[in-house]
Amino acid sequence: MLDRTSQIAAVTPVCGRALQITRAGRVLLDVSDIEFGERSVTAIVGPNGAGKSMLIKTLCGLMRPDRGNVTWNGRPPARSDYRRLGMLLQHPVLLRRSALANVAYALKCAGHDRSRAERLALAALEHAGLSHIAATSARRLSGGEKQRLAMARAMAMRPEILFLDEPTASLDPASTLRIEEMIDKAREEGTSIVLVTHDMAQARRLADTVMLMHRGGIVEHAPTQRFFDAPATDEARAFAAGEILI
Amino acid sequence: MKTNAIRWSAVVLAGSVLTSGSALAQEDEFIIVQSTTSTEASGLYEHLLPMFQEESGLEVRVVAVGTGQAINNAENCDGDVLLVHAREQEEAFVESGYGVSREPLMYNDFVIVGPPADPAGVAGSSDVVDAMTKIAESQAPFASRGDDSGTHSKELQLWEEAGIDVAGTDGGWYRETGSGMGETLNTGVGMGAYVLTDRATWINYGNKGDYEIAVEGDEAMFNPYGIILVSSDHCENVKTEAGQQFIDWMLSDEGQQAIADYKIDGQQLFFPDADESDS
Amino acid sequence: MHSFAEAFGQAFALIVNFDADLREIVFLSLQVSLTAVLVAAIIGLPFGALLAVSRFPGRGALVVGITALMGLPPVVVGLVVYLLLSNAGVLGPLQLLYTPTAMIIAQALLITPIIAALARQTIEDLNDEYDQQMTLFGLNAIQRLVTLLWEGRFSLMTALLAGFGRAIAEVGAVIVVGGNINHVTRVMTTTIALETAKGNLALALGLGIILVAIAVTVNAMVFALRGTAERAAYA
């Protein structure tokens, strides 16, 4: 099941229905119907405050919507399902342990015994080109290494679906490239990917479809090519052209 | 790893509780003596107890507190034997049924120590009531235990005889330290105050500075120590047999001789009193 | 005033001789205070952590209460434990008064609020940071607490040292419940009190210097351990 060459069999569909989050009378998220489950890469774009992070956190069960509901595989999110669903937080938390122990810990949480977890963790680090820092304290790594380690940790479980919240924000071009390579690998293994990004070029490079959010709602969701070449809405047209959406 | 940490803590905890437990579950039998501080601070027990222990195999654990607290602890059944120096309170303790009987054990005397400047002009006096009247009149500082100890009740009794109401003073010349004999001496020496102390504590006291005995030799300064077995009628857990064994030894010729033999710098600190069984 | 020079001389002589009596007293002090820290940690750390992550009515008052109890006067703790353990008290039948166990109980009571209050603050800050990540790990409530406690181990170590410092230095509680019985319940602080009462101030101060040296040694060992653990960072 965790053979790196094998494909992930099926993807747990993650659905949101009539999701709404309101704070102090302001609607921050208002999404009527959304589903991720196909084997593809979706980029979610939009200005700050559009509700991108809020949407994927809600879908991952990290935020509770004021209205509506989230289902995984048709059921409410359950703790045990986190081994099938992964998320890379915008500011991932690395434990105060070695890089290897960080990955092994996540695997143990997912139910692997100690020796298997360490073996898989080692493989995951190798896969991410991080073998050389396996014994280094995670908190002492550089920004780029930290992000790659967090990514490797999220991928080690071989999630069926992986949410990435601005994984390359504040990374230099070289580190960005390494992360994108890892995203590519995950896709090749059959993981469905949802990627929040401000980098339009990155969306073009990686995504099969692009979703534009604005003021808490989804404005447009289209295949990447069409999104950039023939957007259907004024907002998407403006955003793709690099104009500022307010 | 986390579970390991927990397991470890549990092991360490169990280990230390066991070891501390074993320290108290000793094979040897022991008794607890609730005692006044002067006998401890004077070093008497370190002289006496090894002899008794060697002979009887019985361990004596001494809790040295003020006489008031010692009696209070004994009333709570937290001791087998009471060894204090406040005659009236001791007799009340026995009459109330807490103690079996009070046996006179030994005596020494109280002295008033003071600074060489002698602001109250009492040095060399052997009339304690007169001396205390002078101290009060001259408003020379006086440091009192103020802790309901045997020495403190003796001191209050002397003030009463002198007709001086120290309860009405406000901390001017009459200062209550609310602490033990040694602490009160430390305080008194520090502030140049007169202090009433038992002679044994004074002789063994290491912080005399330039202090000297000012008043001594008055019969009113007689300081008798009594020893009492706590009554098993009142306290079920009292080790009557072992307690009585200790008391018997203390009152025996051997024990009395051992008390008389305890000297510091050639001075005898306590005088055997067991034979004058009536006093 | 040559008391200080004399005190250092006494301390030096004590250390050089390090006779059986002193060894016994030092060992008992460490045994009592370290065990008290252990007991207080086993109670205080989970309690503080639980308080940090849970929300219930009256929580604020409880936090204020625990924090205020950091200032518990030792002699009051001693009295409470005495009244409980006395033969006239409810726990009298256990026969624990005037034993090292009684001293451990008193010191554990004294420092549990310190450890719990400091742990609460540490864990609460950490929980803000770790909350979502732990959800993603799929941890249940207990696993969360354990993870937070382990992740906060370096800060929590300081909380334990604060507790140890308070325990090894206090005299008010142990003298009441231990009775300062020679060879049974006599520890560093009660010995210092006794020597002070005997007017042997230099000796008392010398013992005080040794007590400080012991505290420094224990702290240094913990920090050395921590340094090694951090360098290895593989736990």
Side-chain angles (χ1 to χ4, degrees):
Chain A
M1 150 195 169
L2 279 135
D3 179 0
R4 280 282 166 203
T5 56
S6 77
Q7 283 275 310
I8 284 159
V11 173
T12 297
V14 173
C15 302
R17 298 269 176 271
L19 299 178
Q20 215 176 63
I21 292 180
T22 323
R23 292 282 182 275
R26 258 182 68 203
V27 176
L28 301 182
L29 185 69
D30 186 5
V31 172
S32 59
D33 195 354
I34 190 165
E35 172 164 351
F36 295 106
E38 282 176 40
R39 214 165 267 163
S40 65
V41 178
T42 307
I44 303 179
V45 298
N48 286 328
K52 307 182 297 293
S53 286
M54 201 170 265
L55 174 63
I56 64 171
K57 280 185 177 173
T58 305
L59 290 173
C60 287
L62 299 182
M63 290 183 82
R64 190 181 292 273
D66 297 325
R67 280 197 207 151
N69 62 70
V70 170
T71 57
W72 298 348
N73 231 351
R75 294 188 305 269
R79 225 167 23 80
S80 60
D81 287 332
Y82 278 109
R83 64 192 63 179
R84 299 200 282 183
L85 173 148
M87 177 168 178
L88 182 66
L89 292 168
Q90 190 173 358
H91 302 290
V93 176
L94 294 175
L95 306 174
R96 291 173 170 84
R97 314 167 190 221
S98 70
L100 180 66
N102 259 278
V103 182
Y105 180 84
L107 287 161
K108 272 184 280 185
C109 290
H112 296 286
D113 66 46
R114 188 196 181 101
S115 65
R116 184 172 168 83
E118 288 193 5
R119 200 155 38 78
L120 292 173
L122 216 50
L125 287 185
E126 204 171 319
H127 198 64
L130 291 171
S131 305
H132 61 290
I133 51 123
T136 309
S137 172
R139 296 275 176 140
R140 295 191 183 173
L141 299 173
S142 72
E145 285 168 335
K146 277 183 184 158
Q147 195 67 7
R148 280 158 65 200
L149 175 60
M151 183 75 186
R153 185 174 67 183
M155 283 172 64
M157 250 102 57
R158 306 241 306 163
E160 295 164 14
I161 182 162
L162 180 58
F163 292 85
L164 306 170
D165 197 352
E166 299 189 36
T168 58
S170 76
L171 291 189
D172 66 17
S175 297
T176 301
L177 184 64
R178 305 299 287 272
I179 293 285
E180 289 186 3
E181 283 169 4
M182 292 175 81
I183 296 172
D184 264 336
K185 276 183 186 165
R187 193 224 329 246
E188 281 163 22
E189 287 165 10
T191 297
S192 177
I193 287 165
V194 179
L195 165 76
V196 170
T197 183
H198 285 292
D199 182 345
M200 289 307 113
Q202 184 174 61
R204 268 185 212 269
R205 281 196 298 275
L206 296 176
D208 301 312
T209 63
V210 176
M211 183 185 286
L212 173 66
M213 289 189 71
H214 189 215
R215 293 181 181 161
I218 297 168
V219 179
E220 180 155 352
H221 186 186
T224 308
Q225 193 75 32
R226 201 174 76 207
F227 180 88
F228 286 108
D229 296 348
T233 58
D234 290 345
E235 286 94 338
R237 196 173 302 119
F239 193 75
E243 290 169 25
I244 294 167
L245 283 188
I246 300 162
Chain B
M1 286 159 217
K2 302 160 302 180
T3 46
N4 266 356
I6 292 173
R7 224 171 286 151
W8 254 108
S9 331
V11 168
V12 175
L13 172 74
S16 18
V17 168
L18 282 179
T19 45
S20 61
S22 65
L24 50 109
Q26 279 172 350
E27 300 292 309
D28 309 314
E29 204 187 346
F30 67 87
I31 57 167
I32 289 177
V33 175
Q34 289 287 348
S35 160
T36 172
T37 49
S38 52
T39 40
E40 164 99 350
S42 63
L44 177 67
Y45 289 125
E46 282 171 55
H47 169 71
L48 289 182
L49 297 183
M51 291 186 219
F52 172 69
Q53 194 161 344
E54 195 182 324
E55 199 174 299
S56 65
L58 200 62
E59 187 189 345
V60 178
R61 298 185 177 177
V62 176
V63 177
V65 287
T67 292
Q69 199 186 336
I71 290 176
N72 195 16
N73 288 347
E75 284 178 0
N76 284 338
C77 302
D78 295 326
D80 305 298
V81 172
L82 181 65
L83 197 169
V84 289
H85 62 140
R87 188 78 180 267
E88 282 174 27
Q89 287 170 261
E90 290 164 46
E91 278 161 1
F93 180 81
V94 172
E95 271 165 34
S96 311
Y98 294 116
V100 176
S101 66
R102 176 193 184 275
E103 302 296 336
L105 174 69
M106 60 190 186
Y107 66 88
N108 60 7
D109 60 345
F110 290 108
V111 295
I112 292 177
V113 297
D118 192 25
V122 296
S125 164
S126 58
D127 182 341
V128 68
V129 171
D130 176 60
M132 288 175 87
T133 309
K134 281 184 182 159
I135 290 171
E137 277 170 0
S138 64
Q139 304 269 297
F142 184 95
S144 163
R145 292 277 293 272
D147 65 346
D148 194 22
S149 61
T151 308
H152 184 222
S153 44
K154 182 75 193 177
E155 179 210 312
L156 292 179
Q157 180 199 329
L158 293 171
W159 286 122
E160 204 180 314
E161 283 175 36
I164 291 155
D165 175 27
V166 287
T169 60
D170 58 356
W173 64 277
Y174 183 78
R175 297 160 191 181
E176 291 189 4
T177 66
S179 54
M181 192 70 257
E183 291 86 345
T184 303
L185 282 169
N186 283 336
T187 311
V189 170
M191 62 168 83
Y194 292 98
V195 182
L196 177 76
T197 173
D198 64 282
R199 192 184 290 269
T201 301
W202 175 250
I203 290 173
N204 196 35
Y205 178 67
N207 190 33
K208 294 189 178 84
D210 52 4
Y211 260 51
E212 287 159 5
I213 292 177
V215 184
E216 63 182 326
D218 191 323
E219 274 182 19
M221 311 264 265
F222 183 62
N223 178 29
Y225 290 79
I227 191 163
I228 303 173
L229 180 67
V230 177
S231 166
S232 58
D233 293 341
H234 175 65
C235 299
E236 284 177 14
N237 61 306
V238 164
K239 295 166 181 164
T240 303
E241 203 175 312
Q244 189 62 52
Q245 196 184 342
F246 176 63
I247 292 175
D248 287 347
W249 185 84
M250 291 285 274
L251 299 175
S252 71
D253 290 347
E254 191 188 351
Q256 294 280 296
Q257 188 59 46
I259 290 171
D261 286 346
Y262 183 54
K263 292 188 175 111
I264 293 174
D265 299 334
Q267 299 183 70
Q268 184 172 343
L269 272 67
F270 297 96
F271 297 85
D273 197 18
D275 291 332
E276 306 160 40
S277 52
D278 191 47
S279 64
Chain C
M1 187 138 190
H2 26 75
S3 271
F4 281 104
E6 209 183 327
F8 276 100
Q10 290 267 17
F12 184 72
L14 284 169
I15 291 167
V16 168
N17 293 329
F18 203 59
D19 61 17
D21 280 356
L22 180 61
R23 219 165 26 235
E24 182 181 78
I25 289 167
V26 168
F27 179 76
L28 185 64
S29 290
L30 285 172
Q31 189 194 12
V32 165
S33 295
L34 287 174
T35 311
V37 169
L38 199 67
V39 172
I42 285 170
I43 300 165
L45 291 179
F47 183 75
L50 205 61
L51 202 54
V53 300
S54 50
R55 296 289 176 271
F56 53 88
R59 177 184 174 275
L62 197 57
V63 168
V64 171
I66 294 288
T67 312
L69 287 179
M70 291 205 290
L72 263 181
V75 67
V76 171
V77 174
L79 273 177
V80 170
V81 174
Y82 168 77
L83 290 175
L84 288 174
L85 297 183
S86 163
N87 278 301
V90 283
L91 300 178
L94 296 177
Q95 290 294 314
L96 291 177
L97 191 65
Y98 304 136
T99 67
T101 306
M103 300 157 86
I104 291 169
I105 293 170
Q107 290 194 343
L109 269 179
L110 185 68
I111 64 176
T112 297
I114 297 178
I115 292 175
L118 295 177
R120 202 268 316 157
Q121 187 62 58
T122 300
I123 298 296
E124 198 165 320
D125 294 345
L126 211 54
N127 188 46
D128 289 343
E129 186 188 345
Y130 278 62
D131 182 36
Q132 297 189 333
Q133 190 68 56
M134 291 192 299
T135 303
L136 292 170
F137 285 144
L139 301 183
N140 65 28
I142 291 170
Q143 290 169 322
R144 274 171 181 261
L145 281 191
V146 174
T147 301
L148 288 171
L149 285 170
W150 183 249
E151 287 296 307
R153 59 195 179 278
F154 297 128
S155 307
L156 295 175
M157 200 63 89
T158 308
L160 296 188
L161 286 176
F164 173 74
R166 176 113 160 125
I168 195 93
E170 73 86 24
V171 60
V174 286
I175 207 161
V176 175
V177 303
N180 190 23
I181 298 170
N182 204 4
H183 303 304
V184 180
T185 55
R186 185 159 295 174
V187 290
M188 291 298 289
T189 53
T190 58
T191 309
I192 292 170
L194 179 62
E195 291 305 331
T196 306
K198 287 182 179 176
N200 297 330
L201 302 192
L203 178 58
L205 198 52
L207 287 164
I209 291 166
I210 293 178
L211 180 62
V212 172
I214 291 169
V216 169
T217 309
V218 169
N219 276 271
M221 278 165 62
V222 169
F223 275 96
L225 204 70
R226 172 181 164 162
T228 316
E230 262 180 311
R231 268 190 300 282
Y234 185 68

